[in-house]
Amino acid sequence: MKQVHKSSLHSGDSLAHDADDCLYDPGVRSVMAEFTLGAETLDLEAASAVRAAHHSIERLRNRGAAGRGLSTGAMDLLIRLNATAGEPVSIGDLARAGGVSSRNVTGLVDTLEREGLVERVGDPHDRRAVLTRITMAGRNWLDTYRQPTQRAMAAVFRGFTPAELTLLRHLSLRLVENQQRIERHLEQQDS
């Protein structure tokens, strides 16, 4: 059985610099070269790097929430509810804003409600509808989470210039835009 190469991003080994002085992961490059049978690997290496960066950021975010017992999804939902200045929001609106399903948001609201961080309230315009809003305990939770999160993000992006952060944001959102375009195309094919 062949040896499985671990990505140096996950095994703690160091990264390398290519001829243009850009970072790359030799383990990922090797595995991808074998996977592609020697064809170009740059897009696959980039996808792996994006995934590794995502995992790194999530590990730091989760560390900032350590002992607070909330998932990343629940934290994101709480942050979104806080941004509404106490105005209640529908599950559907929260789902669309977060790019997730209403079912997913309902589960997150259930968790946050059990913790006393959000509450469900009736919709004054539609007796059948239920809205969600952040509680004072939810705002207090965010207050204790804010500084560790800001410190963690400042540390992970240390050395990045504002122009680099803007470019990183732009390129990441181009990936999202491409994925959404692909999804729309596939949905059109299916119908």
Side-chain angles (χ1 to χ4, degrees):
M1 185 165 160
K2 285 191 172 186
Q3 169 125 6
V4 175
H5 299 281
K6 284 188 174 181
S7 163
S8 58
L9 292 175
H10 301 294
S11 66
D13 295 338
S14 62
L15 300 173
H17 289 263
D18 64 16
D20 295 322
D21 201 30
C22 292
L23 288 170
Y24 76 97
D25 183 326
V28 167
R29 181 168 288 175
S30 173
V31 168
M32 294 305 168
E34 191 169 321
F35 173 72
T36 63
L37 303 175
E40 178 59 50
T41 63
L42 188 55
D43 54 352
L44 295 171
E45 287 183 61
S48 179
V50 168
R51 217 172 18 258
H54 167 75
H55 290 304
S56 294
I57 290 169
E58 289 306 304
R59 279 193 295 276
L60 283 174
R61 281 184 65 180
N62 289 336
R63 189 178 198 117
R68 293 178 176 85
L70 293 184
S71 69
T72 301
M75 289 185 290
D76 288 344
L77 186 64
L78 197 58
I79 290 167
R80 286 182 192 285
L81 285 169
N82 189 57
T84 68
E87 288 297 315
V89 181
S90 74
I91 297 284
D93 286 344
L94 289 168
R96 280 186 290 284
V100 297
S101 70
S102 292
R103 180 182 212 154
N104 185 313
V105 171
T106 298
L108 294 172
V109 168
D110 289 345
T111 299
L112 292 167
E113 190 174 39
R114 276 192 303 275
E115 297 293 324
L117 304 176
V118 303
E119 62 185 354
R120 286 180 166 98
V121 295
D123 184 339
H125 306 292
D126 182 353
R127 290 186 339 201
R128 298 167 297 165
V130 176
L131 304 174
T132 304
R133 72 175 164 213
I134 192 168
T135 63
M136 186 54 73
R139 284 195 180 93
N140 291 339
W141 190 97
L142 284 175
D143 285 343
T144 62
Y145 173 71
R146 183 175 293 111
Q147 284 189 341
T149 300
Q150 288 172 318
R151 281 193 304 270
M153 292 305 106
V156 79
F157 290 112
R158 184 185 65 200
F160 283 63
T161 66
E164 289 171 327
L165 289 173
T166 300
L167 181 59
L168 179 60
R169 181 192 66 206
H170 171 74
L171 294 173
S172 297
L173 292 175
R174 278 184 56 195
L175 292 173
V176 171
E177 193 174 59
N178 285 346
Q179 178 271 327
Q180 290 170 343
R181 188 176 11 270
I182 292 165
E183 289 288 326
R184 284 192 302 273
H185 178 73
L186 292 173
E187 287 170 3
Q188 289 172 352
Q189 284 183 333
D190 290 342
S191 51

